[in-house]
Amino acid sequence: MAVTSWLESLRAAEKTALLQDGKRMVHYLFPDGKEMAEEYDEKTSELLVRKWRVKNALGALGQWQLEVGEPVFSGVGGLGSELIKESNANPIFMRKDTKTSFQWRIRNLPYPKDVYSVSVAQKERCIIVRTTNKKYYKKFSIPDLDRHQLPLDDTALSFAHANCTLIISYQKPKEVLATESELQKELKKVKTAHGGDGDCKTQ
C-alpha cells in the first residue's frame, strides 16, 4: 500500500522537465507545497541528483536539502577558499546510487577496511558507520525505504574501501525497483523543454 501511495504522489505532482547538457532535469511540485528536483543522465536514466525544498511555518521557501548527489562547497576568495580547503581535508559524505543499489561514498577516510564497522540499526531505521579507532562515526537513514515503509535488511548491506573512500552499498528492494521503473514511464509522458526553450509543465 505504501509503495502505491508514494507512486501515486509522484503521479499527482505537477512536473516540469528540462533537457540540458546531457541531463534531464525534473521538478516536482506536490499538492502539499513540497518541491523535489531530480537530475538524470539523459542516455542511461541514472539518477544524478535529488533534492527537496519545503516551506517553513511562515510559508516562505527554505533552502534546498540534498538527498542524492555531490555536495557543492561555496565560497569565493579569502576565508571562503580556506573553508573549502579545510572541508576537503575532512570526511565528505555523499550519496550516489547505481541502477540496483543505494550507494554512499565517504571520502578522506584513510584507514584500512578492517577498521570500519557498517551495520543496520533496525529500531532507529538507519545505517551506522563506526571505526574501531573511534576516529569516525556516522548515522544516516534511507529516505526511499521510509517513503515505501519498507524494513531495513542486514543482508542487503555491504561495503568496500579504496583510495581513501569508504563505499557503502544497499541493494534496492524489488518494490523500489518497481517504483523507479514506473516513474521512468511517467517521466516519458512529460513534455520536455530544451535548454533556452523555457519551462513546459504537465500534470
Side-chain angles (χ1 to χ4, degrees):
M1 184 65 187
V3 176
T4 303
S5 177
W6 172 236
L7 183 57
E8 289 305 317
S9 294
L10 292 170
R11 286 172 172 160
E14 182 180 340
K15 293 178 280 291
T16 302
L18 176 67
L19 190 63
Q20 191 170 28
D21 300 327
K23 298 176 183 177
R24 183 180 175 89
M25 306 174 189
V26 186
H27 177 270
Y28 304 77
L29 177 59
F30 295 93
D32 62 1
K34 287 182 181 178
E35 295 179 69
M36 181 174 76
E38 293 183 325
E39 292 181 15
Y40 292 91
D41 183 288
E42 180 192 358
K43 293 182 179 180
T44 66
S45 295
E46 178 186 353
L47 177 65
L48 304 174
V49 173
R50 178 187 291 137
K51 53 188 178 180
W52 290 85
R53 184 165 65 174
V54 299
K55 292 181 179 180
N56 62 25
L58 299 177
L61 286 171
Q63 297 291 319
W64 285 102
Q65 300 297 317
L66 190 68
E67 180 179 311
V68 178
E70 187 163 2
V72 178
F73 296 101
S74 59
V76 179
L79 180 60
S81 297
E82 291 302 314
L83 287 173
I84 293 173
K85 189 179 296 184
E86 181 181 350
S87 65
N88 284 343
N90 292 329
I92 299 174
F93 178 85
M94 63 171 286
R95 176 174 158 185
K96 180 176 171 60
D97 293 352
T98 68
K99 284 284 190 180
T100 58
S101 297
F102 305 122
Q103 194 171 91
W104 301 265
R105 294 170 182 261
I106 310 175
R107 296 175 181 163
N108 300 332
L109 288 180
Y111 320 114
K113 183 181 177 181
D114 58 8
V115 168
Y116 304 99
S117 167
V118 182
S119 59
V120 167
Q122 295 288 356
K123 288 185 179 180
E124 297 179 78
R125 290 187 57 79
C126 66
I127 294 173
I128 297 177
V129 182
R130 296 185 177 92
T131 58
T132 54
N133 59 11
K134 299 183 179 179
K135 295 288 188 182
Y136 185 80
Y137 178 89
K138 180 74 176 179
K139 182 164 62 175
F140 59 93
S141 63
I142 308 179
D144 308 72
L145 298 189
D146 293 337
R147 288 190 286 265
H148 288 80
Q149 296 180 24
L150 294 171
L152 275 71
D153 180 4
D154 297 80
T155 62
L157 185 65
S158 62
F159 71 96
H161 186 267
N163 300 318
C164 293
T165 301
L166 186 67
I167 303 169
I168 302 165
S169 300
Y170 186 101
Q171 188 173 353
K172 293 178 182 177
K174 62 180 184 299
E175 293 89 346
V176 172
L177 292 172
T179 297
E180 291 179 348
S181 177
E182 287 299 314
L183 177 59
Q184 289 303 313
K185 293 177 185 177
E186 288 293 316
L187 294 182
K188 288 179 181 178
K189 302 175 186 177
V190 179
K191 187 175 180 181
T192 303
H194 290 259
D197 292 347
D199 290 341
C200 213
K201 295 184 178 180
T202 187
Q203 196 155 7

